[in-house]
Amino acid sequence: MGGSGPPSQKHGEYMGPWGAFGSRPQKGIITYALAANRQRPFAGATYSAIFNTYRRAKAQFLYVVPPLVLAYWLMNWAVEKNEYVNSKAGRLEAAAQEEAAVKAKERVSGGE
């Protein structure tokens, strides 16, 4: 056998499809098949989808909910603050603070 003899096949001779290089078939290889009407590709898919979705959502709860709660609280605070600042009472308070700041600055600069 080895490589001492001339090649057993000529160039251009068809040796079969890819993977079948003209050798003898292998022994001891067992293949199994299942009829198409016996397969159940979606067996348990609905049950698994519901409980897997719950499990995955539960695992992400602490990553998602606290930032959303914080963002909601912050936005609610900002809206209320904006409504107060732009209301009559808020404008009066801002004017009073500005007036007090101007008087304090005059006292500091006038005392020199």
Side-chain angles (χ1 to χ4, degrees):
M1 294 219 103
S4 60
S8 62
Q9 300 203 350
K10 300 176 185 174
H11 292 288
E13 183 178 331
Y14 180 71
M15 296 190 302
W18 176 256
F21 292 122
S23 63
R24 294 174 39 197
Q26 294 182 352
K27 293 183 179 180
I29 297 177
I30 300 170
T31 58
Y32 297 94
L34 186 61
N37 63 345
R38 291 299 202 176
Q39 295 179 11
R40 294 177 49 205
F42 291 109
T46 305
Y47 178 85
S48 296
I50 291 169
F51 288 101
N52 194 32
T53 301
Y54 171 74
R55 179 187 59 80
R56 292 176 69 184
K58 186 177 75 169
Q60 296 298 317
F61 182 81
L62 291 177
Y63 294 104
V64 176
V65 173
L68 289 177
V69 169
L70 180 66
Y72 177 80
W73 176 80
L74 187 63
M75 192 65 187
N76 193 29
W77 172 83
V79 167
E80 289 177 3
K81 179 76 170 174
N82 184 45
E83 288 174 355
Y84 175 73
V85 168
N86 290 316
S87 68
K88 188 173 185 178
R91 289 176 189 251
L92 287 174
E93 182 185 329
Q97 286 178 354
E98 188 175 334
E99 203 173 296
V102 168
K103 286 183 182 178
K105 188 175 181 181
E106 286 176 0
R107 270 188 265 136
V108 170
S109 63
E112 290 180 1

